[in-house]
Amino acid sequence: MSTKLYIVEGLPCSGKSTAAAYIAKLTGGKLFDEGSADHPADYEFSAFIPDSADFTPEERRVMEEFAEPQPGGIVVKLSRLPGEIQSKALRYKIYDALDWETERPVMLRKWHSFAENAGDEAYVFNCVLLQNPMCETMMRFDFPPEKSLEYIKEICDIIRPLEPVVIYLKSTDAAGQIRAALPERGEEWLSAVTDYHCSGGYGRAHGLSGFEGYISALEERQRRELSFLKELPVKSVVLELPRSLDKAYRVLDETLRGEL
């Protein structure tokens, strides 16, 4: 069976979106970039509303018009809810508000749904296999590496029938890449991601602060992710950037053409 799923991973500003678009063009795969509203294996700006949540019958009627039923509750796209209901639903936002025991099965069911309904199309994903789980298990909850790896392996087992290939863009200068992207992304973006990484469970546990703390968190995340790749039951190729960009894309070409 040929590869049906290509997943591009790496740190912020490492060129994942560009690489994913390149892979989609070369393979004909359907591209889903980071934060895609219609992502088949991820939830962007969505909430899991448990059956026990305190909403009125009328509010539930409104939510259920756009809801995806799940055991014990519903998933709703927050952007489709009117203001007051959206404000209440934000308390159950996936990735930012749920406890891990609630969030984990919701996300695994999403991966199962994707794998079961993928059909014969090829897909190209930007960063949902490693980055998203690591932002939760490491940055938000400060779980030990083995717990992160266990969860990512669960996802890999689900998508194994799609013969996934992970293309990892290894950063050799994370701070330099972040600074180079600032004119496009802006200081407000940098402030938000710095706060996220330094004020979450991992950042607090390690006393991180400011730009240096943000970079420290990213470097440790990359170290863990690269070690995980050696243990995951998926094919992977690591491309070192930015020092060897031309060479990296030659390797990427060779890898992809070998898969086609």
Side-chain angles (χ1 to χ4, degrees):
M1 178 179 179
S2 60
T3 296
K4 284 180 157 185
L5 177 59
Y6 301 87
I7 306 175
V8 182
E9 294 285 350
L11 297 184
C13 307
S14 60
K16 298 188 301 297
S17 294
T18 301
Y22 179 81
I23 293 167
K25 182 178 180 180
L26 189 62
T27 64
K30 192 172 182 179
L31 175 62
F32 290 92
D33 207 346
E34 182 178 6
S36 297
D38 59 345
H39 202 295
D42 193 27
Y43 286 120
E44 172 66 13
F45 198 53
S46 296
F48 173 73
I49 311 297
D51 293 335
S52 59
D54 184 21
F55 286 87
T56 68
E58 176 60 21
E59 288 171 335
R60 284 199 172 271
R61 185 193 65 75
V62 171
M63 291 190 293
E64 286 169 359
E65 288 185 35
F66 315 109
E68 174 189 323
Q70 290 236 6
I74 56 175
V75 172
V76 294
K77 290 185 180 296
L78 289 162
S79 60
R80 304 196 69 177
L81 299 179
E84 187 174 336
I85 299 177
Q86 185 187 100
S87 295
K88 289 179 67 174
L90 280 168
R91 291 179 293 172
Y92 304 94
K93 186 175 181 292
I94 297 170
Y95 289 138
D96 295 323
L98 299 180
D99 60 77
W100 181 241
E101 290 70 24
T102 302
E103 182 175 293
R104 177 182 158 275
V106 169
M107 294 309 304
L108 290 178
R109 282 192 290 267
K110 184 68 168 175
W111 280 103
H112 272 293
S113 175
F114 163 64
E116 291 165 2
N117 295 284
D120 294 326
E121 284 192 274
Y123 296 82
V124 182
F125 288 173
N126 179 358
C127 79
V128 293
L129 178 64
L130 298 180
Q131 175 176 284
N132 295 20
M134 290 300 284
C135 282
E136 289 296 277
T137 62
M138 177 185 172
M139 298 304 176
R140 185 174 168 219
F141 293 112
D142 191 32
F143 291 154
E146 54 269 23
K147 190 163 183 176
S148 299
L149 177 59
E150 177 185 27
Y151 175 59
I152 295 168
K153 278 184 173 180
E154 286 185 280
I155 299 173
C156 289
D157 286 338
I158 293 169
I159 60 177
R160 191 194 299 260
L162 304 181
E163 296 288 336
V165 173
V166 175
I167 297 92
Y168 195 99
L169 307 183
K170 178 183 177 183
S171 298
T172 56
D173 181 13
Q177 289 174 190
I178 298 292
R179 291 191 182 99
L182 269 183
E184 177 183 353
R185 301 205 176 191
E187 292 291 341
E188 187 176 343
W189 168 81
L190 180 61
S191 177
V193 294
T194 298
D195 180 68
Y196 173 83
H197 286 79
C198 293
S199 65
Y202 178 84
R204 293 195 307 272
H206 292 81
L208 303 184
S209 63
F211 183 75
E212 292 76 14
Y214 172 44
I215 297 303
S216 174
L218 290 182
E219 290 174 342
E220 174 59 18
R221 194 193 101 196
Q222 178 171 261
R223 187 193 68 76
R224 294 186 188 188
E225 290 174 348
L226 289 170
S227 70
F228 292 168
L229 283 179
K230 300 172 184 177
E231 301 187 52
L232 295 177
V234 297
K235 297 178 184 177
S236 63
V237 56
V238 177
L239 308 178
E240 189 168 298
L241 301 173
R243 294 178 184 170
S244 55
L245 184 59
D246 291 339
K247 180 181 177 182
Y249 268 79
R250 286 198 300 272
V251 172
L252 180 56
D253 274 344
E254 294 168 4
T255 301
L256 295 176
R257 294 184 191 283
E259 293 289 331
L260 297 176

